[in-house]
Amino acid sequence: MLEIELNGANHPQSRILAQLQERLFTNGPVTIFRWVAQEPWSVEYVSPNVRQWGYEAEDFLSGRINYSQVLHPDDVASIVAEIEAYESARINTYRQDYRIVCANGEVRWVHDYSVVVRNSSGVVTHYEGYVLDITERKQGESALKESEEKFAKAFRCSPDAMTITRLKDGCFIDINKSFLDATGYTQEEVIEQAKFNPWVNPAERAKVYQILQRQGSVNGYEYQFRHKSGTIVVGLFSAEVVIINGEPCVLSVTTDITERKRTELEVLRAAQREKLLGEMAARIRQSLNLQEILETTVKEVRQFLQVNRVYIVQFDRQVQGQIVAESVTDDCSSLLAWKPRNEAHIKEILEYFIIERAYAFGDVTQLELPPEIRQDFLDYQVRSFLAVPIVVGEQIFGHLVANQCNRVRLWEDNEIDFVKKLANQLAIAIQQAQLYQQVQSLNTDLEGLVQKRTEELYHKVQELQELYRIKDVFLHAFSHDLRTPIMGTSLVLNNFLNQDGETLIVSRSILKRLQEGSEKQLNLINALLEAHSSEVSGIVLYCQPLALCEFIQEVIADLEPLANKYKATLINLVNIDFPLVNADVVQLRRVFENLITNAFKYNPPGVTVTVNATSEANRIRCTVADDGIGINLEQQEHLFDLYYRGSQSRASTGIGLGLYLCRQIIKSHGGDIGINSLPGEGTTFWFTLLVA
Ligand code: ATP
Ligand code: MG
């Protein structure tokens, strides 16, 4: 180096060289050295840009610093060893990378290119060369190395399956342990095996590789791959195209999400079941009719479980059970008519099943069952059996039972849980229906009561209306009856007043008529007052033992004149030794008088009236019979009402109080009164009294 002989500074060549030196070395990154090949490696030449390390050329040229002093102490041994190796191998040019220490202590990497200079005898006299600062490149290299190491570590240690495949043919060129674990294959079965493709759907893989080719990356693609054992694994695939050794490759990561998917699916199924339960419960609880509720339940449960038979067995007090609702597929027999066959059967059921418990039998043939129950399962083709109790309030209503008949079925926990929940909903529906039933029957009772009371009220109103009508008729008749004698009296008195003179002569017959008229008015008014007072305060009786024959004889004797007037015949048929009756003489006389005078008044002249009495136990029955015109049934119904008068008696002076009072009197005596009559065949009034 620089061993060029310069022919004077002004030589054009030497000028160019000076400029080159100025441009390339003084300001460039390359520092040129010439060392003596002997300790202490004194520097004979160094280009001025040694300044880049904080030194001056003079520092070296003066011998103040030799080159070995700027070498990094850790690198000196290896540099010397290398040089010695080159020398002994007689290699005259060599390259070395090592570190030097700058004047300010900073450490920098340099690339050293050295040439060995020998004298004519071949002895090494000098080393010449240049030293290039490569610190930045070294730093870059080490960063790259670090990141490569990091990647390799991440690749090997990743818990997710990682692979590097060729983009063009999908061949695996590198895989990590997690991939081998996830797929169950060995390294040899995978690497560079063109046919190896664990994807369940190989076409799907090809499609994803096309996307990678187009877009350079794929993120979070869900797919299924097959483990060597055959089980399917769900993976989440993310990949990017990377260039490795100039070839496009796919770096992929697959996370096993099988468990997550299963959990998600389970959560989803649980939510669906919950929703279904809500819908089924709503349908079951829609009705308040118990049978309808039970029928809906068995239908819904059978559809949900997809079983052959679902039924509800209701327990009576002896807990023998009766099938109250059933839903069954066509290919299975119905259990509706099932009944325990004998005492032993009942005993087995009671002993084997605890009614508060739920039962889930996967394969009933594998169970140690009592013979009668085994027979039941055989008779009704039961292969698998599930039963949960239905608890209404505190009581067990029965069991909700499912039978699988065409195959053995292992009941899943969530199915058992579902049926239990549904049984709870069913219990609520049953309770509602029972409450509704109670309310219904209460309602019916209440309605019946209201209807009865309404009818009673209606009759009372009708009675009242009739009473008002009768009262109107009576008032009219009464005023009419009073008017006639008063008008008569008024006329007679006017006639007298029209006569002259202070003193008037009145004939006895006129006075008698006036007196009779007043008497009649008084009688009318008295009768009215009496009826009123008996109505208000009741009739006060003074009872005593009475000999009936004698008593009737007296009444007949008193009525003799009246009988004559009506040309009537009065007959007393009561025996002299007839038992004594307990009666108020005055009141009983009024009864007889009214009944006998009625017979006179309301029949044509010449009627025959017969009085008789018969005794029955502690009662006697009196009759007053006539052979007159009789009374029709319609009138008979009202005869004993206040102010009722028969149609044929409008002209009479009666006011319709007689029979009303008779009834009041007889009732006060503790007896009954009534009538037997047919139009044209006479009338018989009867009443009872107590024996004294
Ligand atoms: P009162 O007795 O107050 O003077 P009254 O005789 O009309 O008036 P009741 O004695 O109550 O009243 O009789 C009611 C009606 O029954 C009579 O108006 C009459 O039409 C009918 N009646 C009663 N007894 C007979 C009878 N023996 N035969 C036919 N009709 C009778
Ligand atoms: Mg009368």
Side-chain angles (χ1 to χ4, degrees), residues 36-42 66 68 80:
V36 177
Q38 236 174 29
E39 290 261 24
W41 318 95
S42 48
N66 60 50
S68 64
V80 172

Side-chain angles (χ1 to χ4, degrees), residues 594 598-599 602 626 639 644-646 648-649 654-659:
N594 185 53
N598 276 355
Y602 305 116
D626 66 54
L639 280 185
Y644 183 82
R645 300 199 300 175
Q648 79 280 22
S649 50
I655 55 172
L657 276 173
L659 287 176

Side-chain angles (χ1 to χ4, degrees), residues 510-550:
I510 288 173
L511 266 181
K512 195 161 187 282
R513 274 216 319 276
L514 284 177
Q515 193 268 336
E516 276 172 4
S518 301
E519 190 95 335
K520 215 177 202 173
Q521 291 164 38
L522 205 62
N523 280 342
L524 279 173
I525 291 163
N526 279 341
L528 201 62
L529 285 173
E530 196 180 348
H532 180 72
S533 82
S534 78
E535 183 83 8
V536 173
S537 50
I539 294 166
V540 184
L541 297 179
Y542 301 97
C543 290
Q544 59 183 75
L546 191 69
L548 208 55
C549 174
E550 222 172 291

Side-chain angles (χ1 to χ4, degrees), residues 31-33 43-52 54-66:
T31 306
I32 296 164
F33 278 97
V43 174
E44 278 188 1
Y45 177 80
V46 61
S47 56
N49 65 346
V50 75
R51 258 189 225 111
Q52 60 182 312
Y55 302 107
E56 288 298 329
E58 197 39 42
D59 293 337
F60 291 97
L61 297 175
S62 65
R64 202 166 50 251
I65 302 175
N66 60 50

